[in-house]
Coordinates of all heavy atoms in Angstrom, one line a residue:
M200 N 197.6 61.1 106.3 CA 198.1 60.1 107.1 C 197.3 58.8 107.1 O 197.8 57.7 107.1 CB 198.3 60.6 108.6 CG 199.4 61.6 108.7 SD 199.5 62.4 110.4 CE 199.7 60.9 111.4
H201 N 196.0 59.0 107.2 CA 195.0 57.9 107.3 C 195.1 57.0 106.1 O 195.3 55.8 106.2 CB 193.6 58.5 107.4 CG 192.5 57.4 107.5 ND1 192.5 56.5 108.5 CD2 191.5 57.2 106.6 CE1 191.4 55.7 108.2 NE2 190.9 56.1 107.1
R202 N 195.0 57.5 104.9 CA 195.0 56.8 103.7 C 196.3 56.0 103.5 O 196.3 54.8 103.3 CB 194.7 57.7 102.5 CG 194.7 57.0 101.2 CD 194.5 57.9 100.0 NE 195.6 58.9 99.8 CZ 195.6 60.2 100.1 NH1 194.4 60.7 100.6 NH2 196.6 60.9 99.9
I203 N 197.4 56.7 103.6 CA 198.7 56.0 103.3 C 199.0 55.0 104.4 O 199.5 53.9 104.1 CB 199.8 57.1 103.2 CG1 199.5 58.1 102.1 CG2 201.2 56.5 103.0 CD1 200.4 59.3 102.0
S204 N 198.8 55.3 105.6 CA 199.1 54.4 106.7 C 198.4 53.1 106.5 O 198.9 52.0 106.8 CB 198.8 55.0 108.1 OG 199.6 56.1 108.3
N205 N 197.1 53.2 106.1 CA 196.3 52.0 105.8 C 196.8 51.2 104.6 O 196.8 50.0 104.6 CB 194.8 52.3 105.8 CG 194.2 52.4 107.1 OD1 193.8 51.4 107.7 ND2 194.2 53.6 107.7
R206 N 197.1 52.0 103.5 CA 197.6 51.3 102.3 C 198.9 50.6 102.6 O 199.2 49.5 102.1 CB 197.8 52.3 101.2 CG 196.6 52.8 100.6 CD 196.9 53.9 99.5 NE 195.6 54.3 98.8 CZ 195.6 55.3 98.0 NH1 196.6 56.0 97.8 NH2 194.4 55.5 97.3
L207 N 199.7 51.1 103.5 CA 201.0 50.5 103.8 C 200.9 49.4 104.8 O 201.8 48.6 105.0 CB 202.0 51.6 104.4 CG 202.6 52.5 103.4 CD1 203.2 53.7 104.1 CD2 203.6 51.8 102.5
G208 N 199.7 49.3 105.4 CA 199.5 48.2 106.4 C 200.0 48.6 107.7 O 200.1 47.7 108.6
W209 N 200.4 49.8 108.0 CA 200.9 50.2 109.3 C 199.8 50.2 110.3 O 200.0 49.9 111.5 CB 201.4 51.7 109.3 CG 202.7 51.8 108.5 CD1 203.5 50.9 108.0 CD2 203.3 53.1 108.2 NE1 204.6 51.4 107.3 CE2 204.5 52.8 107.5 CE3 203.0 54.4 108.5 CZ2 205.3 53.8 107.0 CZ3 203.9 55.4 108.0 CH2 205.0 55.1 107.3
V210 N 198.6 50.5 109.9 CA 197.4 50.4 110.7 C 196.2 49.8 110.0 O 196.3 49.7 108.7 CB 197.0 51.9 111.2 CG1 198.1 52.5 112.1 CG2 196.7 52.7 110.0
A211 N 195.2 49.4 110.7 CA 194.0 49.0 110.0 C 192.8 49.7 110.7 O 192.2 49.2 111.7 CB 193.8 47.5 110.2
T212 N 192.7 50.9 110.3 CA 191.7 51.8 111.0 C 190.6 52.3 110.0 O 190.8 52.3 108.8 CB 192.5 53.0 111.6 OG1 193.2 53.6 110.6 CG2 193.4 52.5 112.8
R213 N 189.6 52.8 110.6 CA 188.4 53.2 109.8 C 188.3 54.8 109.7 O 187.7 55.3 108.8 CB 187.1 52.7 110.4 CG 187.0 51.2 110.1 CD 185.8 50.6 110.8 NE 186.0 50.7 112.3 CZ 185.1 50.5 113.2 NH1 183.9 50.1 112.9 NH2 185.4 50.6 114.5
T214 N 188.9 55.5 110.6 CA 188.8 56.9 110.6 C 190.1 57.6 110.8 O 191.1 57.0 111.4 CB 187.9 57.4 111.8 OG1 188.5 57.2 113.0 CG2 186.5 56.7 111.7
P215 N 190.3 58.8 110.3 CA 191.5 59.6 110.5 C 191.9 59.7 112.0 O 193.1 59.6 112.4 CB 191.2 60.9 109.9 CG 190.2 60.7 108.8 CD 189.3 59.6 109.4
D216 N 190.9 59.9 112.9 CA 191.2 60.0 114.3 C 191.8 58.7 114.9 O 192.8 58.7 115.6 CB 189.9 60.3 115.1 CG 189.5 61.8 115.0 OD1 190.4 62.6 114.5 OD2 188.4 62.1 115.3
E217 N 191.2 57.5 114.4 CA 191.8 56.3 114.9 C 193.2 56.1 114.4 O 194.1 55.6 115.1 CB 190.9 55.1 114.3 CG 189.6 54.9 115.0 CD 188.8 53.7 114.4 OE1 189.4 52.9 113.6 OE2 187.6 53.6 114.7
T218 N 193.5 56.5 113.1 CA 194.8 56.4 112.6 C 195.8 57.2 113.3 O 196.9 56.8 113.7 CB 194.8 56.8 111.1 OG1 193.9 56.0 110.4 CG2 196.2 56.7 110.5
E219 N 195.4 58.5 113.6 CA 196.3 59.4 114.3 C 196.6 58.8 115.7 O 197.8 58.8 116.1 CB 195.6 60.7 114.5 CG 196.4 61.8 115.0 CD 195.7 63.2 115.0 OE1 195.5 63.7 113.9 OE2 195.3 63.6 116.1
Q220 N 195.6 58.3 116.4 CA 195.9 57.7 117.7 C 196.8 56.5 117.6 O 197.7 56.3 118.5 CB 194.6 57.4 118.4 CG 193.7 58.6 118.7 CD 194.5 59.7 119.5 OE1 195.2 59.4 120.5 NE2 194.4 60.9 119.0
A221 N 196.6 55.7 116.6 CA 197.4 54.5 116.5 C 198.8 54.8 116.2 O 199.8 54.2 116.7 CB 196.8 53.6 115.4
L222 N 199.0 55.8 115.3 CA 200.4 56.2 115.0 C 201.1 56.9 116.1 O 202.3 56.6 116.4 CB 200.4 57.1 113.7 CG 200.0 56.4 112.4 CD1 200.0 57.5 111.3 CD2 201.0 55.3 112.1
Y223 N 200.4 57.7 116.8 CA 201.0 58.4 117.9 C 201.3 57.5 119.1 O 202.2 57.8 119.8 CB 200.0 59.6 118.4 CG 199.9 60.7 117.4 CD1 199.0 61.7 117.6 CD2 200.8 60.9 116.4 CE1 198.9 62.8 116.8 CE2 200.7 62.0 115.5 CZ 199.8 62.9 115.7 OH 199.7 64.0 114.9
A224 N 200.6 56.4 119.2 CA 200.9 55.5 120.2 C 202.2 54.7 120.0 O 202.8 54.3 121.0 CB 199.8 54.4 120.3
V225 N 202.7 54.6 118.8 CA 203.9 53.9 118.6 C 205.1 54.7 118.1 O 206.2 54.2 117.9 CB 203.7 52.7 117.5 CG1 202.7 51.7 118.1 CG2 203.2 53.3 116.2
V226 N 204.9 56.0 117.8 CA 205.9 56.9 117.3 C 206.3 57.9 118.3 O 205.4 58.5 118.9 CB 205.5 57.6 116.0 CG1 206.5 58.6 115.5 CG2 205.1 56.6 114.9
H227 N 207.6 58.1 118.6 CA 208.0 59.1 119.6 C 207.5 60.5 119.2 O 207.5 60.8 118.0 CB 209.5 59.1 119.7 CG 210.0 59.8 120.8 ND1 210.1 61.2 120.8 CD2 210.5 59.4 122.0 CE1 210.6 61.6 122.0 NE2 210.8 60.6 122.8
R228 N 207.1 61.2 120.2 CA 206.6 62.5 120.0 C 207.4 63.5 119.1 O 206.8 64.2 118.3 CB 206.3 63.2 121.3 CG 205.6 64.5 121.3 CD 205.5 65.1 122.7 NE 204.5 66.1 122.8 CZ 203.2 65.8 123.1 NH1 202.9 64.6 123.4 NH2 202.3 66.8 123.1
R229 N 208.7 63.4 119.2 CA 209.6 64.2 118.4 C 209.4 64.0 116.9 O 209.7 64.9 116.1 CB 211.0 64.1 118.8 CG 211.6 62.7 118.4 CD 213.0 62.6 118.9 NE 214.0 63.3 118.1 CZ 215.2 62.9 117.9 NH1 215.7 61.8 118.4 NH2 216.0 63.7 117.2
W230 N 208.9 62.9 116.5 CA 208.8 62.6 115.0 C 207.4 62.9 114.5 O 207.2 62.8 113.3 CB 209.1 61.1 114.8 CG 210.5 60.8 115.1 CD1 210.9 59.9 116.1 CD2 211.7 61.2 114.4 NE1 212.3 59.9 116.1 CE2 212.8 60.6 115.1 CE3 211.9 62.1 113.4 CZ2 214.1 60.9 114.7 CZ3 213.2 62.4 113.0 CH2 214.3 61.8 113.7
W231 N 206.4 63.3 115.4 CA 205.1 63.5 114.9 C 205.0 64.6 113.8 O 204.4 64.3 112.8 CB 204.2 63.9 116.0 CG 203.9 62.8 117.0 CD1 204.4 61.5 117.0 CD2 203.1 62.9 118.2 NE1 203.9 60.8 118.1 CE2 203.2 61.6 118.8 CE3 202.4 63.9 118.8 CZ2 202.5 61.3 120.0 CZ3 201.8 63.6 120.0 CH2 201.8 62.4 120.6
P232 N 205.6 65.8 114.0 CA 205.5 66.8 112.9 C 206.2 66.3 111.6 O 205.7 66.6 110.5 CB 206.3 68.0 113.4 CG 206.4 67.8 114.9 CD 206.4 66.3 115.1
V233 N 207.3 65.5 111.7 CA 207.9 65.1 110.5 C 207.1 64.0 109.8 O 206.9 64.1 108.6 CB 209.3 64.5 110.9 CG1 210.0 63.9 109.6 CG2 210.2 65.5 111.5
I234 N 206.5 63.1 110.5 CA 205.7 62.1 109.9 C 204.5 62.7 109.2 O 204.1 62.4 108.1 CB 205.3 61.1 111.0 CG1 206.5 60.1 111.3 CG2 204.1 60.2 110.5 CD1 206.2 59.1 112.3
N235 N 203.9 63.6 109.9 CA 202.7 64.3 109.3 C 203.1 65.0 108.0 O 202.4 64.9 107.0 CB 202.1 65.3 110.3 CG 200.8 65.9 109.8 OD1 199.9 65.1 109.5 ND2 200.8 67.2 109.7
L236 N 204.2 65.8 108.1 CA 204.6 66.5 106.9 C 204.9 65.5 105.7 O 204.5 65.7 104.6 CB 205.9 67.3 107.2 CG 206.5 68.0 106.0 CD1 205.6 69.0 105.4 CD2 207.8 68.7 106.4
Y237 N 205.7 64.5 106.0 CA 206.1 63.5 105.0 C 204.9 62.8 104.4 O 204.7 62.7 103.2 CB 207.1 62.5 105.5 CG 208.5 63.0 105.6 CD1 209.5 62.2 106.2 CD2 208.8 64.3 105.3 CE1 210.8 62.7 106.3 CE2 210.1 64.8 105.4 CZ 211.1 64.0 105.9 OH 212.3 64.4 106.1
L238 N 204.0 62.4 105.2 CA 202.8 61.6 104.7 C 201.9 62.5 104.0 O 201.3 62.1 102.9 CB 202.1 60.9 105.9 CG 202.8 59.8 106.5 CD1 201.9 59.1 107.6 CD2 203.3 58.7 105.5
V239 N 201.7 63.7 104.4 CA 200.8 64.7 103.6 C 201.4 65.0 102.3 O 200.8 64.9 101.3 CB 200.6 66.0 104.4 CG1 199.9 67.0 103.6 CG2 199.7 65.7 105.7
T240 N 202.7 65.3 102.3 CA 203.4 65.5 101.0 C 203.4 64.3 100.1 O 203.2 64.4 98.9 CB 204.9 66.0 101.3 OG1 204.9 67.1 102.1 CG2 205.6 66.3 100.0
W241 N 203.6 63.1 100.7 CA 203.6 61.9 99.9 C 202.2 61.7 99.3 O 202.1 61.3 98.1 CB 203.9 60.8 100.8 CG 204.3 59.5 100.1 CD1 203.6 58.4 100.0 CD2 205.6 59.2 99.5 NE1 204.2 57.4 99.3 CE2 205.5 57.9 98.9 CE3 206.7 60.0 99.3 CZ2 206.5 57.3 98.2 CZ3 207.8 59.4 98.6 CH2 207.6 58.1 98.1
G242 N 201.2 62.0 100.1 CA 199.8 61.8 99.7 C 199.4 62.8 98.6 O 198.5 62.4 97.8
Q243 N 200.0 63.9 98.5 CA 199.7 64.9 97.5 C 200.4 64.6 96.2 O 199.9 65.0 95.1 CB 200.1 66.3 98.0 CG 199.2 66.8 99.1 CD 199.7 68.1 99.7 OE1 200.9 68.4 99.6 NE2 198.8 68.8 100.3
N244 N 201.5 63.9 96.3 CA 202.3 63.8 95.0 C 202.5 62.4 94.5 O 202.7 62.2 93.3 CB 203.8 64.3 95.3 CG 203.7 65.8 95.6 OD1 203.5 66.6 94.6 ND2 203.8 66.2 96.8
V245 N 202.4 61.4 95.4 CA 202.6 60.0 94.9 C 201.5 59.1 95.3 O 200.8 58.5 94.5 CB 203.9 59.4 95.5 CG1 204.2 58.0 95.0 CG2 205.1 60.3 95.2
C246 N 201.2 59.0 96.6 CA 200.1 58.1 97.1 C 198.8 58.9 97.1 O 198.2 59.1 98.2 CB 200.5 57.5 98.4 SG 199.5 56.1 98.9
R247 N 198.4 59.3 95.9 CA 197.3 60.2 95.8 C 196.0 59.4 96.2 O 195.9 58.2 96.0 CB 197.2 60.8 94.4 CG 198.5 61.5 94.0 CD 198.4 62.0 92.6 NE 198.1 60.9 91.7 CZ 198.1 61.1 90.3 NH1 198.6 62.2 89.8 NH2 197.8 60.1 89.5
P248 N 194.9 60.1 96.5 CA 193.7 59.5 96.9 C 193.1 58.6 95.8 O 192.7 57.5 96.0 CB 192.7 60.6 97.2 CG 193.6 61.8 97.4 CD 194.9 61.6 96.7
V249 N 193.1 59.2 94.6 CA 192.6 58.4 93.4 C 193.9 58.2 92.5 O 194.6 59.1 92.3 CB 191.5 59.2 92.7 CG1 191.0 58.5 91.5 CG2 190.4 59.5 93.6
Y250 N 194.0 57.0 91.9 CA 195.1 56.7 91.0 C 196.4 57.0 91.6 O 197.2 57.8 91.1 CB 194.9 57.4 89.7 CG 193.6 57.1 89.0 CD1 192.7 58.1 88.7 CD2 193.3 55.8 88.6 CE1 191.4 57.8 88.1 CE2 192.1 55.5 88.0 CZ 191.2 56.5 87.7 OH 190.0 56.2 87.1
P251 N 196.8 56.3 92.7 CA 198.1 56.6 93.3 C 199.2 56.1 92.3 O 198.9 55.2 91.4 CB 198.1 55.7 94.5 CG 197.1 54.6 94.3 CD 196.0 55.3 93.4
L252 N 200.3 56.7 92.3 CA 201.4 56.4 91.4 C 202.3 55.3 91.8 O 203.5 55.5 92.0 CB 202.2 57.7 91.1 CG 201.4 58.9 90.6 CD1 202.3 60.1 90.5 CD2 200.7 58.5 89.3
C253 N 201.7 54.1 92.1 CA 202.5 53.0 92.6 C 203.6 52.6 91.8 O 204.7 52.2 92.3 CB 201.5 51.8 92.8 SG 200.2 52.1 94.0
G254 N 203.5 52.7 90.4 CA 204.6 52.3 89.5 C 205.8 53.2 89.7 O 206.9 52.8 89.2
E255 N 205.7 54.4 90.2 CA 206.8 55.3 90.4 C 207.2 55.4 91.9 O 208.1 56.2 92.2 CB 206.4 56.7 89.9 CG 206.1 56.7 88.4 CD 205.7 58.1 87.9 OE1 206.3 59.1 88.4 OE2 204.8 58.2 87.1
C256 N 206.6 54.7 92.7 CA 206.8 54.8 94.2 C 208.0 54.0 94.6 O 208.1 52.8 94.3 CB 205.5 54.4 94.9 SG 205.6 54.5 96.7
V257 N 208.8 54.6 95.4 CA 210.0 53.9 95.9 C 209.6 52.8 96.9 O 210.4 51.9 97.2 CB 211.0 54.8 96.6 CG1 211.5 55.8 95.6 CG2 210.4 55.5 97.8
L258 N 208.4 52.8 97.4 CA 208.0 51.7 98.3 C 207.2 50.6 97.6 O 206.7 49.7 98.2 CB 207.0 52.4 99.4 CG 207.7 53.5 100.2 CD1 206.6 54.1 101.1 CD2 208.8 52.9 101.0
F259 N 207.2 50.6 96.3 CA 206.4 49.7 95.5 C 206.7 48.2 96.0 O 205.7 47.5 96.2 CB 206.8 49.8 94.0 CG 205.9 48.9 93.2 CD1 204.7 49.3 92.7 CD2 206.4 47.6 92.8 CE1 203.9 48.4 91.9 CE2 205.7 46.7 92.0 CZ 204.4 47.1 91.6
D260 N 207.9 47.8 96.1 CA 208.2 46.4 96.5 C 207.8 46.1 97.9 O 207.7 44.9 98.3 CB 209.7 46.1 96.2 CG 210.0 46.1 94.8 OD1 209.1 45.8 93.9 OD2 211.2 46.3 94.4
L261 N 207.8 47.1 98.8 CA 207.5 46.9 100.2 C 206.0 47.1 100.6 O 205.6 46.6 101.6 CB 208.4 47.9 101.0 CG 209.9 47.8 100.8 CD1 210.5 48.9 101.6 CD2 210.4 46.5 101.3
C262 N 205.3 47.8 99.8 CA 204.0 48.2 100.2 C 202.9 47.1 99.7 O 202.9 46.8 98.6 CB 203.6 49.5 99.5 SG 202.0 50.1 99.8
P263 N 202.1 46.7 100.6 CA 201.0 45.8 100.3 C 199.9 46.4 99.5 O 199.0 45.7 99.0 CB 200.6 45.2 101.6 CG 200.9 46.3 102.6 CD 202.1 47.0 102.0
K264 N 199.9 47.7 99.4 CA 198.9 48.4 98.6 C 197.4 48.1 99.0 O 196.6 47.8 98.1 CB 199.1 48.3 97.1 CG 200.5 48.6 96.6 CD 200.8 48.1 95.3 CE 202.2 48.1 94.9 NZ 203.1 47.2 95.8
I265 N 197.2 48.0 100.2 CA 195.9 47.6 100.8 C 194.8 48.6 100.3 O 194.9 49.8 100.5 CB 196.0 47.5 102.3 CG1 196.9 46.4 102.7 CG2 194.6 47.2 102.9 CD1 197.3 46.3 104.2
G266 N 193.8 48.0 99.7 CA 192.7 48.8 99.2 C 192.9 49.5 97.9 O 192.0 50.2 97.4
V267 N 194.1 49.4 97.3 CA 194.4 50.1 96.0 C 193.9 49.2 94.9 O 194.3 48.0 94.8 CB 195.9 50.3 95.8 CG1 196.2 50.8 94.4 CG2 196.4 51.3 96.9
T268 N 193.0 49.7 94.1 CA 192.4 48.9 93.0 C 192.8 49.4 91.6 O 192.9 48.6 90.7 CB 190.9 48.9 93.1 OG1 190.4 50.2 93.1 CG2 190.4 48.2 94.4
R269 N 193.1 50.7 91.6 CA 193.6 51.2 90.3 C 194.7 52.2 90.6 O 194.7 53.0 91.5 CB 192.4 52.0 89.6 CG 191.2 51.0 89.3 CD 190.1 51.8 88.7 NE 190.5 52.1 87.3 CZ 189.6 52.7 86.4 NH1 188.4 53.0 86.8 NH2 190.0 52.9 85.2
V270 N 195.7 52.2 89.7 CA 196.8 53.1 89.8 C 196.9 54.1 88.7 O 196.3 53.9 87.6 CB 198.1 52.3 90.0 CG1 198.1 51.4 91.2 CG2 198.4 51.6 88.7
G271 N 197.6 55.2 88.9 CA 197.8 56.2 87.9 C 198.9 55.8 86.9 O 199.7 55.0 87.1
A272 N 198.8 56.5 85.8 CA 199.8 56.3 84.7 C 201.1 56.9 85.1 O 201.2 57.9 85.8 CB 199.3 57.0 83.4
P273 N 202.2 56.3 84.6 CA 203.5 56.8 84.8 C 203.7 58.3 84.3 O 203.0 58.6 83.4 CB 204.5 55.9 84.0 CG 203.7 54.6 83.9 CD 202.2 55.1 83.8
Q274 N 204.6 59.0 84.9 CA 204.8 60.4 84.6 C 204.9 60.7 83.1 O 204.3 61.6 82.5 CB 206.0 60.9 85.3 CG 206.4 62.4 85.0 CD 205.5 63.3 85.7 OE1 204.9 63.0 86.7 NE2 205.3 64.5 85.2
R275 N 205.7 59.9 82.4 CA 205.9 60.2 81.0 C 204.7 60.0 80.1 O 204.5 60.7 79.1 CB 207.1 59.5 80.4 CG 206.9 58.0 80.3 CD 208.1 57.3 79.6 NE 207.9 55.9 79.6 CZ 208.6 55.1 80.5 NH1 209.4 55.7 81.3 NH2 208.4 53.8 80.5
E276 N 203.8 59.2 80.6 CA 202.5 59.0 79.8 C 201.6 60.1 80.1 O 200.8 60.6 79.2 CB 201.8 57.7 80.2 CG 202.6 56.5 79.7 CD 202.0 55.2 80.2 OE1 200.7 55.2 80.4 OE2 202.7 54.2 80.2
R277 N 201.6 60.7 81.3 CA 200.7 61.8 81.7 C 201.1 63.1 81.0 O 200.2 63.8 80.6 CB 200.7 62.0 83.2 CG 200.1 61.0 84.0 CD 199.8 61.5 85.4 NE 200.9 62.1 86.0 CZ 201.8 61.4 86.7 NH1 201.8 60.2 86.9 NH2 202.8 62.1 87.3
V278 N 202.3 63.3 80.8 CA 202.7 64.6 80.1 C 203.1 64.4 78.7 O 203.5 65.4 78.0 CB 203.9 65.3 80.9 CG1 203.5 65.7 82.3 CG2 205.1 64.4 80.9
G279 N 203.0 63.2 78.2 CA 203.3 63.0 76.8 C 204.7 63.0 76.4 O 205.1 63.2 75.3
V280 N 205.6 62.8 77.4 CA 207.0 62.8 77.2 C 207.5 61.3 77.2 O 207.4 60.7 78.2 CB 207.8 63.6 78.2 CG1 209.3 63.5 78.0 CG2 207.3 65.0 78.2
G281 N 207.8 60.8 76.1 CA 208.3 59.4 76.0 C 209.6 59.4 75.3 O 210.2 60.4 74.9
P282 N 210.1 58.2 74.9 CA 211.3 58.1 74.2 C 211.3 58.8 72.9 O 212.4 59.2 72.5 CB 211.5 56.6 74.1 CG 210.2 56.0 74.5 CD 209.4 56.9 75.3
H283 N 210.2 58.9 72.2 CA 210.2 59.6 70.9 C 210.2 61.1 71.0 O 210.6 61.8 70.1 CB 208.9 59.2 70.2 CG 208.7 57.7 70.1 ND1 209.6 56.9 69.4 CD2 207.8 56.9 70.6 CE1 209.2 55.7 69.5 NE2 208.1 55.6 70.2
E284 N 209.8 61.7 72.2 CA 209.9 63.1 72.3 C 211.2 63.6 72.9 O 211.4 64.8 73.0 CB 208.7 63.6 73.2 CG 207.3 63.5 72.6 CD 206.8 62.1 72.6 OE1 207.2 61.3 73.5 OE2 205.9 61.7 71.8
Q285 N 212.0 62.8 73.4 CA 213.2 63.2 74.1 C 214.3 63.6 73.1 O 214.4 63.3 72.0 CB 213.7 62.2 75.0 CG 212.8 61.9 76.1 CD 213.2 60.8 77.1 OE1 214.2 60.2 76.8 NE2 212.5 60.6 78.1
Ligands
SF4_185 S1 203.2 51.7 96.5 FE1 201.3 52.8 96.0 S2 199.9 52.5 97.7 FE2 202.0 52.0 98.4 S3 202.8 53.9 99.3 FE3 203.4 53.8 97.1 S4 201.8 54.9 96.0 FE4 201.0 54.4 98.0

Protein backbone atom coordinates (compact mmCIF):
# COMPACT_ATOMS: atom_id res chain seq x y z
CA MET A 1 0.00 0.00 0.00
CA HIS A 2 2.78 2.40 0.93
CA ARG A 3 4.82 2.15 -2.25
CA ILE A 4 1.93 2.26 -4.72
CA SER A 5 0.00 4.99 -2.95
CA ASN A 6 3.06 7.20 -3.04
CA ARG A 7 3.87 6.38 -6.68
CA LEU A 8 0.32 7.27 -7.62
CA GLY A 9 0.50 10.50 -5.66
CA TRP A 10 -2.42 9.56 -3.41
CA VAL A 11 -0.24 10.29 -0.40
CA ALA A 12 3.16 11.77 0.29
CA THR A 13 4.29 9.78 3.27
CA ARG A 14 7.54 8.37 4.57
CA THR A 15 6.44 5.23 6.38
CA PRO A 16 3.88 2.46 5.86
CA ASP A 17 2.15 3.51 9.09
CA GLU A 18 1.75 7.08 7.84
CA THR A 19 0.38 5.77 4.55
CA GLU A 20 -2.09 3.48 6.25
CA GLN A 21 -3.39 6.28 8.45
CA ALA A 22 -3.64 8.69 5.51
CA LEU A 23 -5.59 6.21 3.41
CA TYR A 24 -7.84 5.12 6.22
CA ALA A 25 -8.69 8.75 6.93
CA VAL A 26 -10.22 9.26 3.48
CA VAL A 27 -11.55 5.80 2.56
CA HIS A 28 -14.73 4.39 4.05
CA ARG A 29 -14.07 1.49 6.42
CA ARG A 30 -15.98 -1.00 4.26
CA TRP A 31 -13.38 -0.62 1.49
CA TRP A 32 -10.28 -1.12 3.64
CA PRO A 33 -9.96 -4.90 3.04
CA VAL A 34 -10.58 -4.49 -0.67
CA ILE A 35 -8.06 -1.69 -1.07
CA ASN A 36 -5.46 -3.63 0.86
CA LEU A 37 -6.02 -6.77 -1.22
CA TYR A 38 -5.94 -4.88 -4.53
CA LEU A 39 -2.86 -2.85 -3.71
CA VAL A 40 -0.93 -5.84 -2.38
CA THR A 41 -1.84 -7.90 -5.45
CA TRP A 42 -1.02 -4.98 -7.73
CA GLY A 43 2.30 -4.51 -6.00
CA GLN A 44 3.24 -8.16 -6.45
CA ASN A 45 2.36 -8.34 -10.12
CA VAL A 46 2.57 -4.92 -11.76
CA CYS A 47 3.77 -2.11 -9.54
CA ARG A 48 6.64 -4.17 -8.20
CA PRO A 49 9.19 -2.73 -5.77
CA VAL A 50 11.98 -2.90 -8.33
CA TYR A 51 11.38 -2.42 -12.05
CA PRO A 52 7.61 -1.86 -11.99
CA LEU A 53 5.84 -2.81 -15.20
CA CYS A 54 4.66 0.70 -16.03
CA GLY A 55 4.55 -0.05 -19.76
CA GLU A 56 1.92 -2.73 -19.14
CA CYS A 57 0.00 -0.89 -16.43
CA VAL A 58 -3.56 0.26 -17.10
CA LEU A 59 -2.82 3.33 -15.00
CA PHE A 60 0.14 4.41 -17.12
CA ASP A 61 -1.51 7.57 -18.48
CA LEU A 62 -2.94 8.56 -15.10
CA CYS A 63 -0.05 7.74 -12.79
CA PRO A 64 2.63 10.35 -12.11
CA LYS A 65 5.05 7.50 -11.27
CA ILE A 66 6.50 9.43 -8.36
CA GLY A 67 9.91 8.06 -7.43
CA VAL A 68 10.02 5.57 -10.30
CA THR A 69 13.40 5.80 -12.02
CA ARG A 70 13.60 2.48 -13.86
CA VAL A 71 10.87 0.22 -15.20
CA GLY A 72 10.73 -3.46 -16.07
CA ALA A 73 10.71 -4.96 -19.54
CA PRO A 74 7.41 -5.80 -21.18
CA GLN A 75 6.12 -9.36 -20.68
CA ARG A 76 7.04 -10.66 -24.15
CA GLU A 77 10.66 -9.53 -23.69
CA ARG A 78 10.92 -11.23 -20.29
CA VAL A 79 9.73 -14.63 -21.50
CA GLY A 80 11.21 -14.46 -24.97
CA VAL A 81 7.85 -14.50 -26.71
CA GLY A 82 7.70 -11.99 -29.47
CA PRO A 83 6.21 -11.73 -32.92
CA HIS A 84 8.78 -14.21 -34.31
CA GLU A 85 7.93 -16.91 -31.77
CA GLN A 86 4.17 -16.77 -32.14
S1 LIG B 1 2.20 3.29 -13.92
FE1 LIG B 1 3.95 2.29 -12.92
S2 LIG B 1 4.21 3.35 -10.96
FE2 LIG B 1 2.15 3.83 -11.71
S3 LIG B 1 0.81 2.27 -10.77
FE3 LIG B 1 1.41 1.51 -12.78
S4 LIG B 1 3.21 0.22 -12.42
FE4 LIG B 1 2.93 1.54 -10.60
